Amino acid sequence: MTRGSGHRTYRAEGIVLRGRDFGEADRILTLFTPEHGKVRAVAKGVRRANSKKSGHVEPFCRCAMLLSQGRDLDLIEQAETLDAFPEMRSSLERLGAAFYLAELVDTFTEEGGESRALYQALVSTFVALEHGADVDISCRWFEVYLLTINGSAPSWSACVGCGAAITPDTAYVYSVDRGGLLCPECAHLDAAARAVNPAAVKLLRLLAREPLSRLVRLRVPREALDDTHDVLALAIRAGLEYDLRSPLVLQRLGLQGHGG
């Protein structure tokens, strides 16, 4: 059975992006699913000590669910954990990254609609974090993927001023207004453009063309990672036109390199 086909119940796999307490024992959850995109659903009685669903609908769990359609909120009838990502959740650094990635997905996606590719990218990133992948590389890869699939990724292949191909060891600047890199001859087109470390340009191009599985052990100079973080944070903010909340929390925890 599928959601929206007239049936009262449907099955879905999903990742819990966030939740908030509702009433005395319930919790309203925002789920991200491959078939139905973002879904808001209530888990009744989940905060009671004897609830059978409580351990299966924690934030960032990947679970299989049976849901009933509702007028405003769907109802989670059954839930079974497929992957709780215990190692990711036991590390403050990795948990902070999970909060950030979940907020990115929540912010950039709408309710309803198929989101298989982005869902698989989120699962792949959580799996990588679970198995010890570099947190910065994992977050930067997901940011590039999200911007690309959303149609708002900056251009990393050619100068957005003259169209010349990007070449190694050239002093490029990143222009938010023009949506990409400007070569030295075109840098004057945007006085607000920021310089980008050549190693960061290489990393951005690598993130855009390689799967995360080939990058998880990549060693990158700190300056290049910081530059890549800053460029992608500008690109994300340009797409949203407001600031995300989780990077502020990460800054207070001393994890400011991971979020946007």
Side-chain angles (χ1 to χ4, degrees):
M1 300 181 193
T2 58
R3 191 172 192 268
S5 63
H7 296 289
R8 290 180 54 82
T9 62
Y10 65 100
R11 295 188 180 275
E13 177 184 319
I15 287 180
V16 180
L17 297 181
R18 61 184 173 93
R20 64 179 177 87
D21 292 346
F22 181 68
E24 294 185 359
D26 304 338
R27 184 169 288 138
I28 294 175
L29 304 175
T30 300
L31 312 167
F32 185 54
T33 73
E35 297 90 353
H36 316 296
K38 202 162 61 176
V39 174
R40 293 177 69 241
V42 60
K44 286 191 172 294
V46 74
R47 289 156 52 208
R48 295 194 181 101
N50 62 350
S51 171
K52 294 181 179 180
K53 293 192 290 283
S54 61
H56 301 284
V57 289
E58 292 297 312
F60 321 129
C61 277
R62 183 170 72 93
C63 48
M65 296 164 289
L66 176 67
L67 299 100
S68 298
Q69 293 180 46
R71 180 175 298 178
D72 299 313
L73 294 169
D74 290 354
L75 176 66
I76 299 176
E77 302 279 5
Q78 299 173 12
E80 178 183 359
T81 299
L82 299 175
D83 199 336
F85 304 107
E87 294 300 320
M88 181 182 77
R89 294 156 66 89
S90 67
S91 160
L92 183 60
E93 180 185 33
R94 295 175 190 282
L95 185 61
F99 269 107
Y100 170 64
L101 297 175
E103 187 183 11
L104 273 180
V105 172
D106 191 14
T107 305
F108 271 88
T109 56
E110 302 290 338
E111 292 186 35
E114 191 174 294
S115 301
R116 293 179 187 275
L118 186 58
Y119 178 81
Q120 188 54 54
L122 182 61
V123 171
S124 297
T125 308
F126 278 9
V127 169
L129 292 171
E130 175 72 8
H131 290 90
D134 183 271
V135 174
D136 286 302
I137 291 293
S138 299
C139 288
R140 301 296 79 80
W141 179 87
F142 188 82
E143 288 168 341
V144 170
Y145 189 90
L146 177 63
L147 288 169
T148 300
I149 205 169
N150 194 57
S152 54
S155 171
W156 314 123
S157 59
C159 170
V160 292
C162 65
I166 301 298
T167 56
D169 304 317
T170 300
Y172 291 97
V173 295
Y174 172 64
S175 169
V176 174
D177 288 343
R178 290 182 172 265
L181 300 172
L182 291 169
C183 68
E185 288 73 23
C186 297
H188 68 278
L189 296 174
D190 185 356
R194 72 179 304 282
V196 185
N197 183 289
V201 174
K202 293 178 184 177
L203 178 57
L204 285 163
R205 288 165 57 79
L206 197 62
L207 292 169
R209 70 171 185 261
E210 296 289 350
L212 180 57
S213 60
R214 297 186 62 177
L215 304 173
V216 291
R217 304 298 177 190
L218 191 66
R219 294 187 177 276
V220 180
R222 186 73 250 174
E223 183 180 3
L225 278 175
D226 289 345
D227 249 21
T228 303
H229 165 270
D230 293 346
V231 167
L232 289 171
L234 289 171
I236 288 167
R237 195 183 191 287
L240 293 176
E241 298 184 349
Y242 63 88
D243 293 320
L244 297 170
R245 293 170 296 177
S246 53
L248 298 176
V249 177
L250 295 176
Q251 286 178 9
R252 296 190 186 106
L253 294 173
L255 305 173
Q256 57 265 38
H258 305 319

